[in-house]
């Protein structure tokens, strides 16, 4: 079974309003942050696979494969828990967040540690489509 078919088979329908969460590739956790703060059947998750991000630098191919596999497995795990998952392949994080916000309302995310990702998302934060909460894993 392909990833897309497997996710579709596990995903719950959007029958009731849900709180939308954006989880960047380096924040795939339901143990802390917005996904931990609500029951799975009240949560919806946006994950973005961005091929352009992989092409920005000369990343090691095995590292990219690990990041991609981790994100896809996280999507399947969350769908299995009852979280509705929207998995998007996009060249632009902000565009994917803005599109999801236009369909379902504003999203929340833990503030990214990576400056480059914060910069990419700045337009949707400024528009109100994405709101940051403090990262629950930061020690300082």
């Amino acid at each position: 079974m392909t990833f897309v078919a497997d996710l579709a088979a596990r995903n719950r329908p959007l029958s009731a309003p849900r709180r939308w969460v954006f989880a960047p590739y380096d924040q795939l956790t339901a143990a802390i942050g917005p996904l931990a703060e609500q029951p799975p059947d009240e949560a919806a998750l946006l994950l973005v696979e961005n091929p352009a991000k992989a092409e920005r630098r000369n990343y090691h191919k095995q590292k990219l494969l690990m990041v991609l596999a981790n994100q896809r497995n996280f999507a399947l795990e969350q769908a299995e828990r009852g979280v509705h998952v929207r998995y998007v392949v996009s060249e632009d994080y902000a565009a994917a967040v803005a599109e999801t916000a236009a369909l379902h309302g504003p999203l929340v995310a833990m503030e990214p540690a990576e400056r480059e990702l914060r910069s990419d998302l700045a337009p949707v934060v400024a528009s109100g489509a994405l709101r940051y909460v403090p990262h629950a894993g930061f020690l300082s």
Side-chain angles (χ1 to χ4, degrees):
M1 186 175 273
T2 68
F3 166 70
V4 172
D6 200 8
L7 181 59
R10 295 179 192 200
N11 231 351
R12 307 295 193 276
L14 279 173
S15 55
R18 293 179 181 237
R19 181 178 181 212
W20 279 86
V21 175
F22 170 60
Y25 53 88
D26 63 349
Q27 295 184 13
L28 303 178
T29 182
I32 60 172
L35 282 177
E37 297 168 358
Q38 57 196 345
D41 62 345
E42 295 176 11
L45 175 64
L46 171 64
L47 295 169
V48 180
E49 185 176 311
N50 185 337
K53 173 80 173 174
E55 295 171 0
R56 287 183 190 167
R57 288 183 192 76
N58 190 18
Y59 290 108
H60 193 283
K61 299 289 185 223
Q62 289 175 329
K63 177 184 177 179
L64 291 174
L65 179 62
M66 292 287 284
V67 169
L68 179 63
N70 190 38
Q71 183 166 290
R72 288 182 175 194
N73 280 316
F74 184 70
L76 295 173
E77 289 168 4
Q78 293 312 300
E80 192 69 35
R81 281 182 61 224
V83 175
H84 180 82
V85 178
R86 182 168 195 243
Y87 195 96
V88 176
V89 177
S90 175
E91 300 287 323
D92 184 347
Y93 290 108
V97 171
E99 179 183 314
T100 302
L103 293 170
H104 304 290
L107 290 86
V108 64
M110 288 189 289
E111 185 173 4
E114 185 183 84
R115 188 197 70 75
E116 184 174 23
L117 183 56
R118 286 194 311 270
S119 178
D120 289 348
L121 294 170
V124 289
V125 171
S127 76
L130 178 65
R131 180 179 58 87
Y132 289 146
V133 295
H135 193 296
F138 288 169
L139 297 177
S140 61

